[in-house]
Amino acid sequence: MRSILRQAQACEGPVSPVQQRHIHELTSRGDPTVAAAQAASSSVQIFEPWGGAFMSAVVTMSDLLAAGVHFGHQTRRWNPKMERFLWGERNGIYIIDLRQTLELLENAYAYVRDTVARGGTILFVGTKRQAQYPIERHANACGMPYVNQRWLGGMLTNFRTIRGRVDKMLEFERMRSAGDFDNMPKKEALLHTRELIKLQRNLNGIRNMAKLPDAVFVLDTPKEHIAVAEAVRLKLPVVAVADSNSDPDPITYVIPGNDDAIRSTQLLCRVIADAALEGRYMAERSGVAVTPAGERSPEEAARIAAQQAEAQRAAMAEAAEREARIAADQARKAAEAAAVPDMRVGDAPGASAEVSDTSPEDAAESPAPASPGGEGDGSEDGGPSSETQGAA
């Protein structure tokens, strides 16, 4: 073990951030001498093309066993094409051969690292519940685009349309930051806010992906079969974790492993993200300019700041114009109201109408007033009575 440690310490060359983190994780487990010897003896060795030194990968057989990468699906749920990657069967569950997993994971690690070192991008795809958080976390850590909510049909084959929707989302975000939503009618602002939330949920991970990716990393290929089919149609390499129920034929770099367990998905996503970080480190040393997907270049940031300032000035001018128009409408309505006479006041000044306390029905039913001659037996038509006629 001491000789192995001396051999590991004799390797000279630049130490990348991933190596530093890996060494820190190993030394935090116990004795630094034992940890360094274990790292030197059990790690996969990968050649560094820029300096001639060797560096260790970030996963070991014990890490794969602890994460449960070797567990497959039940024996009744399997794809016969995966038989060559299976070690055997225990208690009705297929066991994946981790020796092949280590070897194939080394190949995928080297490919992702070299692709990013040349300035390429890797699209992380995983929409099922167990993979959503690891995909988003590790893709953001290495500055790569990702899709973790829903794969929209045509995200690769119809990328121009998808990019148009991304631009629409960015425009809505600029309008909201400039205060345009506050100056809109409430209903219109509410509709725009709802559309923005929907666009951010589905397209936020590819907001800075201006072109098609150079490769696609997929978790759970049976669920993401549309993404795999689009990548194959566009002849994009596919790096994917293949469980015992997956089809390995359309996958360019197969990683046999468990794609359902949370710890397994986190470990495999971390390995691919570390490969991307190694590629960025190599690109920086070789002078290749690589802008992380989550960051903007200085020119793009200046352009967006100018657009936001112009949009804010336009919004303020529109708001001032709207307020002036509303004030003019209110003044016009007030002038029209002052010019119209009050209909509640009578036409003749001082004229008043007496209001009788009795209703027309009561007046019709009340008896006629007595004549000046006294009470008489007048006829119904108001003529003189017979006694009055006789006296006459």
Side-chain angles (χ1 to χ4, degrees):
M1 183 176 294
R2 296 290 180 182
S3 60
I4 294 175
L5 177 59
R6 286 193 296 270
Q7 293 176 5
Q9 293 174 346
C11 290
E12 297 179 355
V15 179
S16 66
V18 178
Q19 287 178 284
Q20 294 176 359
R21 187 176 69 181
H22 185 49
I23 294 173
H24 180 269
E25 290 178 356
L26 289 176
T27 54
S28 62
R29 298 176 185 176
D31 182 54
T33 304
V34 177
Q38 291 176 351
S41 60
S42 61
S43 307
V44 179
Q45 302 295 323
I46 301 176
F47 181 71
E48 290 184 359
W50 73 87
F54 289 89
M55 66 179 181
S56 61
V58 292
V59 66
T60 61
M61 180 72 76
S62 60
D63 295 331
L64 296 178
L65 288 171
V69 181
H70 58 290
F71 290 115
H73 283 277
Q74 297 178 356
T75 54
R76 59 185 177 86
R77 294 179 53 201
W78 76 303
N79 192 322
K81 297 179 181 179
M82 287 292 296
E83 184 176 6
R84 63 181 185 272
F85 300 110
L86 300 178
W87 177 81
E89 177 263 333
R90 287 291 183 274
N91 299 326
I93 297 176
Y94 280 116
I95 305 299
I96 298 173
D97 189 359
L98 292 184
R99 291 174 297 181
Q100 297 187 52
T101 301
L102 272 177
E103 180 181 357
L104 296 173
L105 187 59
E106 173 187 350
N107 298 334
Y109 184 97
Y111 170 74
V112 172
R113 181 198 61 194
D114 296 339
T115 301
V116 177
R118 293 190 299 267
T121 57
I122 309 295
L123 177 62
F124 285 63
V125 180
T127 60
K128 66 182 186 180
R129 189 174 298 274
Q130 302 95 311
Q132 287 179 355
Y133 175 71
I135 286 289
E136 180 179 2
R137 174 189 173 188
H138 294 290
N140 287 330
C142 63
M144 292 295 167
Y146 65 90
V147 177
N148 70 333
Q149 290 295 330
R150 178 189 173 194
W151 180 267
L152 304 178
M155 258 187 178
L156 295 178
T157 55
N158 195 17
F159 182 73
R160 181 179 301 178
T161 302
I162 297 298
R163 186 61 205 178
R165 299 305 298 167
V166 173
D167 294 339
K168 188 68 174 179
M169 178 187 69
L170 299 177
E171 180 183 356
F172 280 157
E173 290 179 350
R174 288 193 294 268
M175 292 172 61
R176 185 178 61 179
S177 61
D180 290 358
F181 285 6
D182 298 334
N183 298 324
M184 290 180 180
K186 291 185 178 179
K187 186 174 183 179
E188 184 179 359
L190 180 61
L191 293 176
H192 288 337
T193 302
R194 289 176 179 174
E195 185 176 0
L196 176 60
I197 293 174
K198 184 178 179 181
L199 291 173
Q200 287 178 338
R201 181 175 64 249
N202 295 326
L203 303 176
N204 192 51
I206 60 172
R207 59 187 302 128
N208 295 309
M209 190 175 72
K211 61 182 182 65
L212 287 173
D214 295 273
V216 181
F217 171 68
V218 182
L219 281 177
D220 196 353
T221 54
K223 182 176 177 58
E224 312 298 341
H225 64 279
I226 299 178
V228 175
E230 292 186 14
V232 171
R233 183 173 182 179
L234 296 177
K235 298 181 179 180
L236 297 177
V238 178
V239 181
V241 179
D243 210 330
S244 59
N245 65 335
S246 302
D247 183 7
D249 289 346
I251 304 175
T252 310
Y253 293 91
V254 183
I255 304 175
N258 186 358
D259 59 8
D260 294 318
I262 297 177
R263 296 179 62 184
S264 175
T265 55
Q266 288 180 347
L267 176 63
L268 297 175
C269 285
R270 182 178 67 83
V271 171
I272 301 301
D274 288 344
L277 288 175
E278 289 287 345
R280 290 191 179 279
Y281 180 73
M282 293 167 57
E284 292 175 359
R285 290 183 57 84
S286 60
V288 178
V290 179
T291 301
E295 299 180 3
R296 297 189 179 101
S297 62
E299 295 79 6
E300 185 179 2
R303 179 178 57 84
I304 292 176
Q307 291 178 353
Q308 290 181 350
E310 181 64 26
Q312 188 172 4
R313 286 193 296 268
M316 293 176 62
E318 185 179 355
E321 182 181 356
R322 186 182 298 109
E323 291 177 358
R325 186 172 63 252
I326 292 175
D329 292 342
Q330 291 178 351
R332 180 177 54 81
K333 291 179 181 179
E336 292 177 355
V340 175
D342 192 356
M343 302 302 297
R344 293 175 298 177
V345 180
D347 296 337
S352 62
E354 295 183 359
V355 180
S356 175
D357 294 338
T358 60
S359 62
E361 293 80 2
D362 297 339
E365 294 178 359
S366 62
S371 61
E375 296 182 0
D377 298 333
S379 61
E380 294 179 0
D381 54 358
S385 61
S386 58
E387 295 180 358
T388 307
Q389 293 177 358

